[in-house]
Amino acid sequence: MNLKSLIALILFISLISCHSNKNSWTHFRGSNMDGHAAVEKAPLHWSASENIVWKAPVKGQGWSSPVVYGDQVWVTSAEKDGHEFYLFCFDLETGKLLNEQTLFTAEDPQRIHGTNSYATPTPCVEEGRVYVHYGSFGTACVDTKSFEVIWKRDDMPCDHMQGPASSPIIYKDKLIVHLEGTEDPYVIALDKKTGETIWKSVRPKEIYDTLEPVYRKSYQTPIVITVGNRDLLISNSAYMCFAHDVTTGEVVWSFKYGYDSTVSQPLYYNGLVFVNSGWIFLDGVPYFTRQFAIDPTGAGDVTETHQVWMYEDEVPQIPTPLIVDGKMYMVHDRGMVTCLDAMTGKVIWKEKLRGNFNSSPIYAGGNIYFINVKGFCTIIKPGDTFEKVAENDIGETVKAVPVFVGDKMLLRTQNHLFSIN
């Protein structure tokens, strides 16, 4: 092959890769799980009837976000009473329902919190396979071409107490899921091809058995980072954060922050890990949440040695913060947006948005999208001051994160899946 042909081939592969990235959204908060969309343009103006490419009804109830690979959109849902658990596949361009199936059933399902659903964990997808997780109710792998179930697991118990919420992630040959409830919370790595267990790490009994059961539960989704020559699974569980060797499950370091119900996903930026404490309860003080920045290069208990900063004023419990160009943007569950310097934790600005928030902010097309529970979206320009770009209202309940592929936004609401241009 001559030089010109080789260059042409490289450019062709690059174009395919770029196109694939723009048409894929493989995990909770994006293909890189950092809240950044690989798009140059994103919708700025819409309503329930304006700039809607298509609108598809979604049976049941679920707060999971859609995932996208190629021309397929995958969405999980469940009956409100938790007796049936669904998986849907829609055509990305038309919204046509391509496949619907009931993957699991439950005769006597656990109760859940009134604000949760039985299908809150977001699925993950790669070429040829989609992986769905409904907590203790079941985990499955489905062929994306034939829609046939490749494997199922319904033998991983968890007393969620408030229902499932942790999303699965793909790492090389593994599917990693968290089942952290009131008894023996654990993280487990499955062989993504067969569903068989590769490793399982139960939280240390000498610590967790001393906690009241209510303080052992967690609903977070982990990330994998590279530190030196080792890949670490960062898991901000109830009471403490763990860094596991993702290959073996071995705990490399831990960081204690106390208490329970961690939901917000960890972040990794410029050599620092950012984790959320979950609810903090102190005598005479209303419950609140802390955000920590941790140097991930340590070993053992790094609580006293590797904390870089801590911030505790209107830190969200559910929405995951977003880092853009060295600034962390976080929206409190009750609507206060705080912009911090990610490396120091110092406040740059604060601004109150309308409504309450469960959905995490997403950076797309140069702007940040904040969507409240009632479906009202505030779009801002990242920077040293608060700069509003647009406001839009879909008019339906939203707890899922918006998904950006190509030049469109996919938005999962309580009753529908929208494609917005």
Side-chain angles (χ1 to χ4, degrees):
M1 181 181 292
N2 60 37
L3 181 60
K4 287 185 177 180
S5 298
L6 179 60
I7 293 173
L9 178 61
I10 292 171
L11 289 174
F12 177 70
I13 292 172
S14 298
L15 286 171
I16 291 176
S17 175
C18 182
H19 177 74
S20 174
N21 289 337
K22 290 182 179 180
N23 278 346
S24 295
W25 187 280
T26 62
H27 286 77
F28 174 63
R29 296 182 61 248
S31 296
N32 294 321
M33 288 183 285
D34 60 1
H36 286 239
V39 298
E40 296 176 1
K41 293 180 61 178
L44 292 177
H45 305 287
W46 67 84
S47 69
S49 57
E50 297 174 301
N51 294 327
I52 303 299
V53 180
W54 51 259
K55 172 183 174 182
V58 180
K59 184 172 73 173
Q61 180 171 290
W63 303 130
S64 59
S65 304
V67 291
V68 181
Y69 198 91
D71 58 0
Q72 294 177 326
V73 183
W74 296 90
V75 179
T76 58
S77 186
E79 282 304 308
K80 195 171 183 179
D81 60 12
H83 287 293
E84 294 185 292
F85 299 81
Y86 307 125
L87 174 64
F88 304 103
C89 181
F90 296 90
D91 183 271
L92 175 62
E93 293 301 318
T94 66
K96 178 183 177 182
L97 180 62
L98 302 176
N99 183 260
E100 171 189 336
Q101 53 185 305
T102 302
L103 291 178
F104 298 97
T105 60
E107 292 185 5
D108 185 23
Q110 300 176 24
R111 293 184 178 182
I112 63 173
H113 194 281
T115 60
N116 200 7
S117 76
Y118 283 96
T120 295
T122 294
C124 50
V125 65
E126 61 182 355
E127 185 175 3
R129 296 184 175 211
V130 61
Y131 305 88
V132 295
H133 178 63
Y134 306 91
S136 63
F137 303 103
T139 305
C141 172
V142 174
D143 188 293
T144 60
K145 294 180 181 178
S146 67
F147 303 117
E148 294 180 357
V149 174
I150 297 173
W151 57 259
K152 277 186 178 184
R153 290 283 301 265
D154 59 3
D155 60 343
M156 297 185 290
C158 178
D159 180 4
H160 295 285
M161 188 174 179
Q162 295 177 338
S166 299
S167 300
I169 69 168
I170 301 166
Y171 171 81
K172 295 184 178 179
D173 63 339
K174 300 174 182 65
L175 181 74
I176 299 171
V177 297
H178 281 66
L179 292 146
E180 299 187 282
T182 60
E183 297 293 333
D184 297 324
Y186 61 96
V187 56
I188 189 166
L190 309 178
D191 185 316
K192 69 179 185 180
K193 293 182 179 179
T194 66
E196 296 176 355
T197 299
I198 296 176
W199 58 256
K200 177 181 178 179
S201 179
V202 181
R203 299 312 183 196
K205 295 181 72 65
E206 66 273 16
I207 295 175
Y208 278 71
D209 282 359
T210 65
L211 305 175
E212 293 182 39
V214 68
Y215 293 142
R216 302 171 190 163
K217 64 188 189 304
S218 171
Y219 307 98
Q220 53 86 30
T221 299
I223 59 172
V224 176
I225 69 171
T226 300
V227 178
N229 60 356
R230 188 182 237 177
D231 286 352
L232 299 180
L233 179 78
I234 305 299
S235 172
N236 59 315
S237 302
Y239 193 75
M240 57 200 299
C241 177
F242 297 91
H244 297 264
D245 183 313
V246 71
T247 303
T248 65
E250 171 198 357
V251 175
V252 176
W253 57 257
S254 62
F255 181 95
K256 295 178 184 176
Y257 37 63
Y259 301 101
D260 76 302
S261 292
T262 45
V263 179
S264 178
Q265 188 177 33
L267 302 172
Y268 182 62
Y269 176 80
N270 200 22
L272 295 183
V273 166
F274 304 88
V275 298
N276 186 286
S277 68
W279 291 129
I280 300 289
F281 301 95
L282 300 176
D283 290 341
V285 179
Y287 59 82
F288 64 102
T289 305
R290 289 174 175 149
Q291 188 76 33
F292 292 91
I294 304 169
D295 173 359
T297 62
D301 184 348
V302 301
T303 309
E304 301 296 330
T305 58
H306 284 65
Q307 176 181 312
V308 177
W309 58 257
M310 182 272 288
Y311 184 79
E312 62 182 14
D313 183 26
E314 294 179 297
V315 174
Q317 191 244 352
I318 294 178
T320 300
L322 173 73
I323 298 177
V324 180
D325 296 331
K327 297 178 178 63
M328 175 183 287
Y329 301 85
M330 55 187 182
V331 60
H332 188 271
D333 307 58
R334 293 190 294 274
M336 178 63 74
V337 175
T338 303
C339 175
L340 300 176
D341 183 302
M343 303 308 292
T344 66
K346 295 187 181 301
V347 176
I348 298 172
W349 56 260
K350 296 173 77 77
E351 185 76 23
K352 180 70 167 67
L353 301 184
R354 61 188 276 186
N356 297 322
F357 290 77
N358 280 180
S359 177
S360 303
I362 297 294
Y363 178 65
N367 297 308
I368 302 175
Y369 290 67
F370 298 91
I371 303 183
N372 72 18
V373 171
K374 292 188 176 180
F376 186 87
C377 179
T378 302
I379 305 172
I380 72 165
K381 183 72 66 177
D384 291 333
T385 59
F386 177 81
E387 182 182 345
K388 188 185 299 181
V389 174
E391 294 179 327
N392 305 281
D393 191 358
I394 202 68
E396 294 189 22
T397 299
V398 175
K399 297 187 180 184
V401 300
V403 168
F404 295 85
V405 287
D407 59 353
K408 298 178 177 61
M409 178 177 77
L410 298 175
L411 186 61
R412 197 259 177 92
T413 69
Q414 183 171 6
N415 299 311
H416 297 95
L417 179 64
F418 288 86
S419 176
I420 299 169
N421 197 347

